[in-house]
Amino acid sequence: MFRRTFWFATGAAAGVWATTKVNRKIKQLSPESLAAQAANKAVDAGHRLKDFAVDVRAGMVQRESELGEALGIQTAPDPAGLPARRRPAAIEYTKHSHNRNEDH
């Protein structure tokens, strides 16, 4: 009798474990979960890209100062550490209506 109870309990525990494992995998592969995982990976990639750009910019500033010292050029550093923004040539924009009925 004890043997049957043991195997019954073992089978029930294995069934609960398998059901839990399958339900977790189903939730993990749902469209909402996949979209959230993709969004998180995109955000992480953006942060890594930003960190890379900051490191590159710091290296550029350091190398520029080394070259300036080597060539005897004295320049005042930009307070923000960034070059002045370039302004695009003046482009005249015409105001367009987004009403599709006015096209006819």
Side-chain angles (χ1 to χ4, degrees):
M1 183 70 183
F2 180 73
R3 199 183 299 173
R4 287 184 182 177
T5 306
F6 170 76
W7 287 113
F8 177 77
T10 302
V16 168
W17 175 79
T19 303
T20 303
K21 190 125 177 131
V22 167
N23 284 336
R24 282 185 188 159
K25 189 54 95 172
I26 288 172
K27 286 180 185 176
Q28 186 181 18
L29 295 176
S30 69
E32 295 85 13
S33 177
L34 292 175
Q37 289 175 10
N40 288 339
K41 287 183 180 182
V43 168
D44 290 342
H47 288 301
R48 286 193 306 267
L49 184 62
K50 180 183 175 193
D51 292 341
F52 174 73
V54 167
D55 290 344
V56 167
R57 185 70 186 135
M60 285 174 46
V61 169
Q62 179 183 358
R63 183 66 178 146
E64 187 175 322
S65 67
E66 290 171 1
L67 290 173
E69 289 175 9
L71 296 174
I73 302 172
Q74 298 296 328
T75 59
D78 188 15
L82 300 174
R85 289 184 63 182
R86 295 183 196 167
R87 300 216 174 231
I91 300 173
E92 187 175 320
Y93 292 102
T94 57
K95 188 162 191 156
H96 294 287
S97 173
H98 295 290
N99 186 351
R100 292 177 53 190
N101 294 328
E102 292 181 3
D103 294 341
H104 299 90

